[in-house]
Amino acid sequence: MLKLLLAFLLCGIFVDGSVNTKGLGALLSPKATIVNTSSGAPRWSEFDAPTPGVVVNVATEHDVLVTVQFCISKNIPFLAQNGAHGWSTTLNLKQNGILVNLAGIKAVSFNSAKTQVTFQGGALVSDVVNTSYANSALVTTGTCNCVGTLGAVLGAGFGNLMGLYGFGVDNLLSLNVVTPSGTHIAVSPSSHSDLWWAMRGAGPNFGIVTSAVMKSYPANSTGLTAWNGPLIFTGDKVEALMEAIGQINLQAQMSMEMFFLISGGSPIILLTVFYYGTEAAGKSAFAPIYAIGPIADETAIVPYNQWNSGGDAFCTKGDRKPSYGAGLAELDPTTWRSVWDEWLAFAQIPGAEESAIILDVYSMVKPRAISDSYSAYPFRSTVNYNAIATAWYANSSLDGSAETFGSNVRNLWRSTSGLSSNSTYINNAFGDEDLSVVYGQNLGRLKSMKAAYDPFCRFTQWFPLK
Ligand SMILES: Cc1cc2nc3c(=O)[nH]c(=O)nc-3n(C[C@H](O)[C@H](O)[C@H](O)COP(=O)(O)OP(=O)(O)OC[C@H]3O[C@@H](n4cnc5c(N)ncnc54)[C@H](O)[C@@H]3O)c2cc1C
Ligand SMILES: *[C@@H]1O[C@H](CO)[C@@H](O)[C@H](O)[C@H]1NC(C)=O
Ligand SMILES: *[C@@H]1O[C@H](CO)[C@@H](O)[C@H](O)[C@H]1NC(C)=O
Ligand SMILES: *[C@@H]1O[C@H](CO)[C@@H](O)[C@H](O)[C@H]1NC(C)=O
Ligand SMILES: *[C@@H]1O[C@H](CO)[C@@H](O)[C@H](O)[C@H]1NC(C)=O
Ligand SMILES: *[C@@H]1O[C@H](CO)[C@@H](O)[C@H](O)[C@H]1NC(C)=O
């Protein structure tokens, strides 16, 4: 009882109403701006999105520090925004809150050996990829240009090169963090090593990363290309594909991303195949997939700065996109037929044609060579696949059917996941999950770290560890 009361007092409810930013402007650098509405910072999904009263567009890393200090001193809730793709309903900042928009700090630079990249808290995947390409180096980013590099990496960071080089978190070297107590500190294996562990999997609970240093991999002109692109299949191939994807030998150079989509009015399966190497090696590695008989093959040798282009349509901001994720150890063909049927029924509703099912298939060769205890990402040794159901529409009258669709599909996945507990990559979770579903076996340790580092619950938005 006392504990409950204490938690309530320490993590008390914030006062409702509008934000008084008097005095903040004088603390910020000249190029920073304070605006009253959220319209200046659109989000990927408007479904249950944050509705801050004020947006602070920071222009320097120091602006992040003074904004957080200001919020702490006035007891104002706040949330950092980077690529704005976080769709979790736990992001629920209201009119009494300040959105700290990191889009203005996105510098990317390399050391002379091209073995380390430094990028700021608001750098998008495209900022990092373009600069890396220009520096003849590869970085383990996510696979969509529009996503915040750190937004993805702080949860684990899945991407095409992870079979070779590991998760994003496995490649981080150090972080500059604005903490819940309003300090700006370096976090690395030799500086606040417990926070170093926690930030790499549960980062948004413990601070705002203003810049990060990550490993990068120098490459010659051949090394700056890969064989990839979409294969298209008809809907009757669901079971055969799931069987083949589940059984393929997923070498370190390989990854796949599968979509159920409506294209030109017809439902299709689009499977993007990726092989870091030649076309011949790629086609041979994916022979079991080719054997199923794609109706179209748009694979090619593609330069590094265009690997993510296929995802650009999925980057479109705006509209409502409630999304339900599930981690899987195995793929059950019968379940996936039911998922196809559920998806098709929803996507055939007028206005919901963009709705999609997504399956990420990444090689775990390198991630599994690293110990479970290396970072706070909890599913390194258990989850093999990430699946997402995204309902996409504009009219909020579809919210109810979208939620039914998403949770039905998630129930199907969970029922045959092959896992001993429901386990969802935090960056793919809907927002209604028990904390154990996203933090797994690390929940206890993370909660006690939260109590130590953020006793007043300043960071309350991202699957908050209360
Ligand atoms: C189109 C699309 C493609 C995706 N592709 C991938 C992928 O290839 N790989 C992958 O792993 N995931 C992927 N995801 C999932 C993605 O990782 C999450 O949606 C992630 O939360 C998005 O980060 P963001 O910065 O864009 O979003 P935001 O909403 O801006 O941020 C999400 C959360 O992270 C926090 N955050 C962001 N930046 C910082 C920072 N610098 N310091 C502290 N906290 C921060 C925010 O405060 C917020 O709580 C994808 C999502 C979408 C919608
Ligand atoms: C924001 O709105 C408040 C009143 O709600 C007003 O006093 C203030 O000047 C506005 N600030 C900006 C930057 O427009
Ligand atoms: C990255 O490069 C691509 C292709 O060259 C270009 O279209 C895109 O605008 C660039 N993005 C950024 C953020 O520089
Ligand atoms: C490019 O790099 C790859 C691997 O790093 C190597 O195998 C290849 O020989 C190099 N090619 C040239 C032309 O240097
Ligand atoms: C949204 O859908 C409802 C119910 O079908 C309909 O009455 C309404 O006109 C739609 N709104 C828009 C903006 O299309
Ligand atoms: C997993 O989630 C399903 C609902 O989707 C629920 O019925 C089941 O009990 C959960 N399993 C565990 C182990 O909590």
Side-chain angles (χ1 to χ4, degrees):
M1 187 63 208
L2 185 66
K3 216 171 142 193
L4 247 172
L5 194 68
L6 209 65
F8 179 76
L9 288 176
L10 291 179
C11 301
I13 307 302
F14 292 100
V15 190
D16 227 3
S18 59
V19 187
N20 185 347
T21 55
K22 191 163 180 285
L24 176 58
L27 303 169
L28 295 169
S29 69
K31 286 191 174 146
T33 59
I34 304 174
V35 295
N36 261 6
T37 75
S38 61
S39 59
R43 296 194 63 87
W44 181 71
S45 172
E46 284 155 11
F47 177 88
D48 215 354
T51 54
V54 166
V55 177
V56 174
N57 296 302
V58 299
T60 65
E61 294 184 41
H62 187 72
D63 287 339
V64 178
L65 176 66
V66 296
T67 305
V68 168
Q69 288 172 339
F70 180 85
C71 290
I72 291 173
S73 72
K74 308 279 186 203
N75 207 28
I76 297 170
F78 60 91
L79 169 68
Q81 177 171 297
N82 182 352
H85 289 76
W87 66 67
S88 167
T89 58
T90 63
L91 299 175
N92 62 358
L93 199 68
K94 301 282 188 261
Q95 288 295 298
N96 60 330
I98 291 184
L99 188 93
V100 185
N101 183 11
L102 303 174
I105 52 168
K106 52 179 191 176
V108 185
S109 62
F110 282 80
N111 67 348
S112 56
K114 316 295 183 194
T115 52
Q116 290 183 13
V117 58
T118 303
F119 56 92
Q120 288 185 306
L124 302 179
V125 168
S126 57
D127 294 314
V128 173
V129 168
N130 283 10
T131 313
S132 304
Y133 185 69
N135 280 273
S136 298
L138 301 165
V139 178
T140 54
T141 64
T143 57
C144 268
N145 283 322
C146 50
V147 170
T149 306
L150 279 166
V153 164
L154 291 177
F158 285 75
N160 285 322
L161 295 171
M162 62 180 254
L164 290 165
Y165 301 132
F167 289 123
V169 290
D170 300 334
N171 287 277
L172 285 171
L173 295 169
S174 67
L175 303 168
N176 285 321
V177 180
V178 171
T179 67
S181 50
T183 59
H184 205 170
I185 60 171
V187 176
S188 75
S190 57
S191 170
H192 303 279
S193 58
D194 54 347
L195 208 48
W196 173 244
W197 172 81
M199 291 294 304
R200 291 172 306 126
N205 263 283
F206 292 94
I208 300 178
V209 179
T210 60
S211 63
V213 184
M214 225 169 154
K215 284 185 201 165
S216 64
Y217 300 89
N220 60 27
S221 58
T222 310
L224 287 173
T225 65
W227 175 79
N228 74 0
L231 303 175
I232 314 288
F233 297 88
T234 48
D236 57 314
K237 297 298 196 316
V238 168
E239 289 88 347
L241 263 179
M242 287 303 149
E243 199 85 52
I245 294 172
Q247 282 173 13
I248 202 165
N249 169 26
L250 209 59
Q251 303 162 38
Q253 296 89 337
M254 295 163 71
S255 68
M256 284 178 265
E257 196 162 24
M258 191 205 68
F259 300 85
F260 293 168
L261 296 174
I262 306 277
S263 172
S266 305
I268 57 155
I269 308 170
L270 185 152
L271 181 71
T272 301
V273 290
F274 177 97
Y275 187 90
Y276 185 65
T278 63
E279 172 166 357
K283 285 200 164 150
S284 152
F286 285 101
I289 303 291
Y290 273 96
I292 294 162
I295 54 168
D297 175 356
E298 289 159 33
T299 55
I301 292 288
V302 178
Y304 176 43
N305 64 343
Q306 288 166 34
W307 291 356
N308 295 345
S309 304
D312 285 349
F314 202 58
C315 281
T316 312
K317 286 209 169 69
D319 289 344
R320 307 176 80 76
K321 306 186 187 92
S323 299
Y324 289 72
L328 306 170
E330 55 198 35
L331 305 173
D332 181 72
T334 310
T335 292
W336 279 87
R337 171 57 60 192
S338 306
V339 169
W340 171 273
D341 293 341
E342 289 275 346
W343 162 74
L344 196 53
F346 184 78
Q348 282 172 341
I349 299 172
E353 300 85 358
E354 310 271 4
S355 303
I357 297 290
I358 301 146
L359 176 68
D360 286 333
V361 184
Y362 290 115
S363 167
M364 295 298 290
V365 170
K366 182 66 179 180
R368 295 253 160 97
I370 295 170
S371 152
D372 261 339
S373 61
Y374 185 61
S375 74
Y377 172 69
F379 309 124
R380 190 185 284 276
S381 57
T382 51
V383 169
N384 294 324
Y385 312 99
N386 292 322
I388 306 167
T390 294
W392 183 339
Y393 52 92
N395 190 328
S396 60
S397 69
L398 287 181
D399 283 353
S401 5
E403 288 172 78
T404 304
F405 153 67
S407 60
N408 282 351
V409 169
R410 186 176 62 183
N411 284 343
L412 283 166
W413 281 327
R414 286 176 169 180
S415 69
T416 54
S417 69
L419 294 164
S420 57
S421 56
N422 297 324
S423 311
T424 301
Y425 177 31
I426 191 166
N427 285 1
N428 290 352
F430 174 69
D432 63 346
E433 292 85 352
D434 285 341
L435 290 183
S436 64
V437 172
V438 294
Y439 295 115
Q441 75 277 6
N442 294 330
L443 181 58
R445 182 173 171 195
L446 286 168
K447 272 188 172 170
S448 53
M449 284 196 54
K450 181 75 173 178
Y453 275 96
D454 190 8
F456 301 103
C457 299
R458 305 293 184 193
F459 287 81
T460 55
Q461 295 279 311
W462 189 239
F463 296 91
L465 287 157
K466 280 190 275 211

